[in-house]
Amino acid sequence: MSNKGTAAGNSAENPGQTLVTQSSPLLRQSMLGHMYEWFWWDRLWLPANLTWADLEDREGRVYAKASHLYVAIPFTLAFLLVRFMFERWVATPVALAAGVKRRIRVQTEENPILENYYCKLSRQPSQADVSGLSKKTGLSVRQVERWFRRRRCMDQPGVLRKFTEACWRFAFYLCAFVGGILALYDKAWFYDTREVWTDFPKQSMLDSQYWYYILELSFYGSLALSVAFDIKRKDFREQIVHHCATLVLLSFSWCVNYIRVGTLVMLVHDASDVLLESAKLFNYAKWERVCQSLFVLFAAVFMGTRLVIFPFWLIHCTWVYPPLYYPPFFGYYFFNAVLLVLQGLHVFWAYLILRMVNKFLFGKLTGDERSDNECEEELSLEEQEEAEELQSQRGGVVHGKLQNGCSELLPPPHVYCPAKTVY
């Protein structure tokens, strides 16, 4: 009874608080409404004297709408499903037919203490931690180091998985590039970039442009969702930035009807991506001559499209020509800023490609500069250490190895087969 009276008294003493509490949903709704209106303010995204009402469908003209982008959500999920089925029932048989073998993993000995440290603390313990773990487990320092090396190698992806991922990307980029050529070869702006801005932004959207955009947007959306599960390379962060910049660029250009230049940007990127993924496929299949030829062709196309055509044709088209038709506005600067982010990534990847070209011409090209070869390096170190141990145990004599790489020194069933021949 007293509690109810106290509550009633508090309510009577603070009527304003009750009013604010009751009206807070209305306030939040009003704030969201203001933010929504500010975000879609005409002056931000459209040239002067134009409004969103000017882009309403009329007189047989159809314009892109922001609401159309919701179509990409189910297509993104569909791409993930199609990729799973493609990699399992198409790419894997192709890989096995090409001679790519399944990876045989060397299992580590079960050790709860080391496994707990590996999963919860660090995959690469410091020397002090190795000494502490050695005392806790009763193993030697070298045995602990070897256990962590083998455990890290267990988590390294095999060549078969790399092949299936590259095969999926190659299939999409090839279809997208061919589709882009078919959609653009008869368009005036494909040959003269000034035509990109003719009658802008009142440019009717074509069916080919619609599907080209939706499929590209959905594909990059699927890559952004699967990046956490895909093979991580040295340029993992750059890939995240690239996917995000691509999604922002496609979405923005769609909403403000920059579709003509958007299709050109997509086509320029797909041209070199087809060759890159095909070179990876032949590299994983150990077809070295074909891989090297495709890599040289890829490097030439990449430099031509990403470092010449993209900055000096497309960015020039979006930076120089628009002010000739209307005063610059926020959307103009925003679009060009995203293009410059992509160009910065192109320069970074061009550096990696040139390093690979240098190895190809003056050394030995052994793989992708973006790949992490930690497992192979650690296995080589492990073989060295075991050879030293065996040499000391056998009086300085180390026998040869069997054809499959297994050491003859240890009697069955303890024959050790190094995992260097993993696939």
Side-chain angles (χ1 to χ4, degrees):
M1 191 68 166
S2 60
N3 291 339
K4 292 181 180 180
T6 304
N10 291 338
S11 177
E13 292 174 2
N14 301 290
Q17 181 178 355
T18 304
L19 181 60
V20 170
T21 303
Q22 293 175 350
S23 62
S24 58
L26 297 176
L27 289 174
R28 286 195 295 268
Q29 185 177 359
S30 177
M31 291 177 60
L32 291 175
H34 285 302
M35 291 179 61
Y36 179 85
E37 292 177 0
W38 178 86
F39 182 81
W40 292 109
W41 186 31
D42 302 334
R43 296 285 68 77
L44 286 178
W45 310 114
L46 296 176
N49 302 323
L50 286 172
T51 65
W52 294 113
D54 295 320
L55 298 182
E56 294 293 334
D57 298 346
R58 62 171 66 89
E59 300 176 358
R61 291 179 176 268
V62 179
Y63 300 106
K65 306 290 190 303
S67 58
H68 293 168
L69 296 178
Y70 290 118
V71 178
I73 296 177
F75 274 94
T76 297
L77 300 178
F79 264 114
L80 294 174
L81 179 61
V82 172
R83 172 182 174 176
F84 172 78
M85 295 188 294
F86 179 88
E87 290 184 355
R88 184 171 183 177
W89 294 321
V90 178
T92 299
V94 170
L96 297 177
V100 178
K101 299 180 181 179
R102 296 184 184 274
R103 179 177 180 176
I104 302 175
R105 299 178 183 271
V106 177
Q107 299 293 327
T108 59
E109 302 85 357
E110 292 186 7
N111 193 308
I113 297 177
L114 299 181
E115 184 69 24
N116 182 69
Y117 184 96
Y118 179 88
C119 295
K120 296 183 178 180
L121 297 178
S122 174
R123 296 178 57 186
Q124 295 182 330
S126 63
Q127 195 61 40
D129 291 337
V130 169
S131 301
L133 292 171
S134 173
K135 295 177 182 179
K136 289 182 180 180
T137 57
L139 302 175
S140 67
V141 171
R142 180 164 291 184
Q143 286 175 324
V144 172
E145 293 174 342
R146 184 179 303 147
W147 187 95
F148 276 95
R149 280 198 298 271
R150 291 183 179 178
R151 184 65 180 84
R152 286 193 292 269
C153 288
M154 286 176 59
D155 290 341
Q156 290 291 319
V159 178
L160 180 60
R161 183 183 169 191
K162 294 179 180 180
F163 186 98
T164 56
E165 284 191 10
C167 192
W168 162 248
R169 290 192 295 268
F170 167 76
F172 175 82
Y173 288 135
L174 179 61
C175 294
F177 180 71
V178 173
I181 292 292
L182 294 177
L184 295 173
Y185 81 97
D186 59 344
K187 305 300 186 295
W189 59 87
F190 184 68
Y191 306 96
D192 183 5
T193 54
R194 288 180 179 271
E195 293 294 329
V196 167
W197 307 109
T198 301
D199 298 328
F200 176 83
K202 297 181 180 181
Q203 299 169 341
S204 182
M205 179 180 61
L206 306 176
D207 290 339
S208 58
Q209 294 173 329
Y210 176 86
W211 287 110
Y212 193 17
Y213 251 82
I214 292 299
L215 293 178
E216 287 272 359
L217 188 66
S218 302
F219 176 74
Y220 281 103
S222 68
L223 289 184
L225 291 179
S226 64
V227 70
F229 309 101
D230 290 341
I231 297 173
K232 292 181 175 59
R233 303 182 186 274
K234 294 177 182 178
D235 63 344
F236 174 75
R237 294 180 179 177
E238 288 77 12
Q239 286 287 351
I240 293 291
V241 175
H242 175 267
H243 296 337
C244 292
T246 302
L247 291 173
V248 171
L249 182 66
L250 292 177
S251 301
F252 172 76
S253 61
W254 176 271
C255 292
V256 298
N257 213 24
Y258 278 19
I259 293 180
R260 290 184 179 181
V261 69
T263 54
L264 294 176
V265 170
M266 291 188 291
L267 186 66
V268 165
H269 282 73
D270 291 339
S272 58
D273 287 336
V274 173
L275 296 170
L276 172 62
E277 301 302 334
S278 61
K280 288 181 182 180
L281 293 177
F282 286 104
N283 179 46
Y284 299 145
K286 306 299 182 183
W287 294 25
E288 294 185 1
R289 291 186 178 179
V290 179
C291 171
Q292 292 172 354
S293 301
L294 286 173
F295 175 76
V296 172
L297 182 59
F298 156 73
V301 173
F302 184 95
M303 299 299 173
T305 56
R306 307 287 185 93
L307 299 185
V308 178
I309 295 178
F310 186 76
F312 296 107
W313 266 265
L314 298 186
I315 294 183
H316 179 268
C317 167
T318 60
W319 188 266
V320 175
Y321 295 153
L324 301 178
Y325 298 89
Y326 49 80
F329 58 103
F330 175 79
Y332 161 81
Y333 294 111
F334 179 80
F335 186 73
N336 282 283
V338 178
L339 291 180
L340 290 176
V341 170
L342 286 180
Q343 184 58 33
L345 294 173
H346 296 164
V347 173
F348 170 77
W349 283 317
Y351 164 73
L352 296 181
I353 292 171
L354 290 176
R355 287 182 56 181
M356 296 175 70
V357 170
N358 181 62
K359 289 184 178 182
F360 174 69
L361 295 177
F362 304 105
K364 184 178 180 181
L365 181 63
T366 58
D368 191 345
E369 278 290 327
R370 303 176 307 150
S371 299
D372 191 352
N373 298 322
E374 173 190 25
C375 188
E376 294 183 3
E377 297 171 359
E378 291 183 342
L379 285 172
S380 299
L381 179 59
E382 181 175 343
E383 290 178 7
Q384 258 185 347
E385 291 182 352
E386 290 201 348
E388 293 174 1
E389 288 183 0
L390 294 173
Q391 186 173 3
S392 61
Q393 293 173 2
R394 299 285 178 169
V397 179
V398 179
H399 298 277
K401 293 186 177 181
L402 300 176
Q403 291 181 353
N404 61 357
C406 300
S407 174
E408 297 178 335
L409 297 176
L410 302 179
H414 304 293
V415 176
Y416 166 67
C417 300
K420 189 173 183 179
T421 55
V422 294
Y423 297 95

